Structures are given as C-alpha cells and as structure tokens.
Amino acid sequence: MSEPLTFEMGKFVAEFPTDRLYAKNHMWAERRGDSGTNAVLRFGFSAYAVRLLQDVYFLDWTIDAGVPLREKQEIGNIESKKAESSLYSPIAGELLQFNGELLSDPSAINVDKYGNGWLFEMQPAAVDKSPLLTPPEYLQHLAAVWEVTQRTIKGQMNE
C-alpha cells in the first residue's frame, strides 16, 4: 500500500489510505471482492470524522440488512464525547450487512477506523455513477469545509 495522504486539523494530522474512496459525509469505501456488477463496498468513518467525534460510545442502526437505500437516506445514529448525530447512506444501493461487533462495543471505531472499526457493507446501485471521491478529491473537499468546521467547533466550545 502506498503512503497515506494527510490533512492537518490544527495540531492533529488525519491520515487517509489511498487504497479506497471517500464520501463527503466523511466515510471511506473499500472495494471487497470483484469489481463487476457484484461489487461490494465496505464503509467506515474517515480519520477526519473520528477526530471530530472523539470517543464514539453508542451506535444504533434504524434499518435492517437487505434494504435498498437511497443516497443520503438516514440509516442510524451515533453518539460520542463531542456529538450526537444521525448517520446517512453515502451512496444508493443495497445494504448487505452491519459490523455487528460495533453494536455492543463501538470502540473499534476510535482505535481501528480503517480496519475492525468498519460500519457496514453495501452493493452499490451504480458503480460508474458513484458520488464517491478519490483521496485527492476528498482532501480538496476537506480543505473547502475546514474553515466552517473550525467555526462550528469553536461555537460548540463556547456554549
């Protein structure tokens, strides 16, 4: 595997493996199996998301495996030291399975975000029309949203 790309988040440096794609909602997508019509993508949170969330301690899915999903459809909820948030599907497709181990102990999201901390697997509706970003495109997206993110973080700290 090649060297990961990095993005500086103040004093913290977030690393992004270059062997996967990324979604604007800060999830990574790793291709599993073949690349044809049976392609399966495994999703998890990027280092950027994990850093902003800090210490995920609760994860709940509001849908079941085998369900067709629309892009940006709500699929669950997450709670952490810093935030409570709904989770949304990064692409359209069929949800195949959740990482069941995270339901009883979501700490793998914090410590092994690009490995055992994966969230779910999907079969994409259209592989060639995916909204997923290449690693360099994702870094450009982060640079574009970082200023707003910093203001949001500072606003939360002043509440």
Side-chain angles (χ1 to χ4, degrees), residues 38-60:
N38 293 324
V40 172
L41 294 175
R42 178 174 278 183
F43 288 90
F45 288 123
S46 74
Y48 182 90
V50 172
R51 176 63 183 159
L52 292 179
L53 288 167
Q54 293 188 14
D55 298 327
V56 174
Y57 58 80
F58 178 77
L59 179 65
D60 183 42

Side-chain angles (χ1 to χ4, degrees), residues 27 42-43 61 75 90 95 97-98 118-122:
M27 289 185 185
R42 178 174 278 183
F43 288 90
W61 302 113
I75 59 174
L95 178 67
Q97 70 170 332
F98 290 108
W118 65 275
L119 299 170
F120 56 88
E121 291 183 346
M122 288 181 70

